[in-house]
Amino acid sequence: QVQLVESGGGLVQAGGSLRLSCAASGRTFSTLAMGWFRQAPGKEREFVAAIIRSGGSTSIASSVLGRFTISRDNAKHTVYLQMNSLKPEDTGVYYCAATQRLGPRSGGNEYDYWGQGTQVTVSS
């Protein structure tokens, strides 16, 4: 019912910034809570950020708090992840996810739809 397409990944130097976008289609966007996850080589997928349907409440992982910001534009059916002060440990594949469950969700098993992922590489 939902298709997600991510964009905006790339190679940046430590201390730089990058903004990821995720466009949704196939269902009314305002009925979906959205999240971002990432997976580094050799590690399991981890939670990064989540935002509720209206955009009025967010949840941010402690490892990126103060550096990353999640936002959404329901008119454009798009969720964003603004990443500032990037560190080499932020390197990984970033995934956009969607769920019809209420509230911001931090567990990967709470999401029903996933994007293809976009690579983010931060050099020293």
Side-chain angles (χ1 to χ4, degrees):
Q1 298 182 39
V2 179
Q3 295 79 46
L4 305 174
V5 180
E6 299 130 317
S7 62
L11 174 64
V12 298
Q13 291 188 322
S17 298
L18 203 62
R19 188 172 83 156
L20 306 183
S21 298
C22 174
S25 63
R27 202 184 194 286
T28 303
F29 186 67
S30 61
T31 67
L32 301 171
M34 305 295 295
W36 286 96
F37 293 77
R38 68 185 182 186
Q39 187 169 23
K43 294 185 177 181
E44 295 185 355
R45 189 172 300 182
E46 66 174 348
F47 169 76
V48 176
I51 188 167
I52 64 171
R53 298 174 179 181
S54 67
S57 181
T58 63
S59 180
I60 309 295
S62 60
S63 60
V64 301
L65 187 64
R67 299 189 297 118
F68 290 13
T69 302
I70 187 172
S71 62
R72 67 190 296 160
D73 187 334
N74 286 349
K76 296 182 178 180
H77 295 188
T78 301
V79 63
Y80 305 95
L81 183 68
Q82 178 66 48
M83 304 184 292
N84 299 324
S85 302
L86 284 163
K87 305 175 181 179
E89 51 262 45
D90 293 320
T91 294
V93 178
Y94 283 69
Y95 297 90
C96 175
T99 179
Q100 296 183 59
R101 297 177 173 85
L102 298 177
R105 303 283 179 166
S106 60
N109 61 343
E110 298 178 291
Y111 288 83
D112 304 303
Y113 309 100
W114 296 82
Q116 80 288 353
T118 184
Q119 176 70 226
V120 172
T121 302
V122 184
S123 62
S124 301

